[in-house]
Amino acid sequence: MALARMQEFRQTRVFWYQPTWRLSSWVSWPHYSALAQTYYGVELARLARSSGDAQIAEAADQVMRSLLVPVADGGVLATVCGHPAFEEAPVQPVSLILNGWLSVLASTAQYAELKGVAEWRDVVAASLDASNGYCRGMTSTLWR
């Protein structure tokens, strides 16, 4: 059912949020969320592992690859402190909701573990470096 609701986008699969759903007061265009994508990616990877279905495994990979589409191209990948960061809803300038970003990283780490893919572990590590720099910058700004 989830896969039937997704659409191909830049050689990935995404679940599009529509502005008519009024889930957000600040995003008024169709978009996808890194948070939802990683949740779907993990669950599809679990289903593929338990069923042995190669098509579901490929779909999980396509869903996760959507994280690597830059915000400038309609995706959710931002760059902060020279490292990858992930948007719940892609906007310019980058908004980076910390709770969502860290939840994306937790799910991505689960995905890396399920699939045994070192590249996704590297993405998580690099993004954690970005969050450390981002948070240090926020903290120093707040306390001045």
Side-chain angles (χ1 to χ4, degrees):
M1 178 73 84
L3 290 174
R5 293 171 54 187
M6 292 182 175
Q7 295 177 346
E8 191 275 331
F9 176 68
R10 300 186 184 274
Q11 301 174 344
T12 72
R13 265 184 206 244
V14 298
F15 177 79
W16 290 101
Y17 285 74
Q18 300 301 323
T20 55
W21 296 351
R22 299 177 195 242
L23 295 175
S24 173
S25 61
W26 54 283
V27 181
S28 59
W29 55 87
H31 65 282
Y32 65 97
S33 165
L35 188 59
Q37 290 295 113
T38 56
Y39 288 167
Y40 279 119
V42 167
E43 294 310 317
L44 288 168
R46 284 185 179 140
L47 178 59
R49 177 186 253 186
S50 66
S51 70
D53 189 315
Q55 288 181 318
I56 294 173
E58 174 56 27
D61 293 342
Q62 289 174 325
V63 168
M64 291 301 292
R65 282 195 307 268
S66 71
L67 294 181
L68 304 178
V69 177
V71 169
D73 295 334
V76 295
L77 177 64
T79 302
V80 171
C81 304
H83 299 289
F86 302 98
E87 291 275 56
E88 282 190 55
V91 294
Q92 290 286 358
V94 172
S95 65
L96 294 177
I97 299 167
L98 189 57
N99 182 47
W101 181 7
L102 295 178
S103 295
V104 166
L105 294 182
S107 291
T108 303
Q110 287 178 30
Y111 182 81
E113 189 66 29
L114 279 166
K115 298 286 281 194
V117 180
E119 291 84 2
W120 284 111
R121 284 191 286 273
D122 295 344
V123 168
V124 170
S127 194
L128 282 171
D129 286 343
S131 70
N132 288 334
Y134 182 73
C135 290
R136 271 194 302 277
M138 281 181 28
T139 303
S140 64
T141 302
L142 290 173
W143 293 109
R144 287 186 185 172

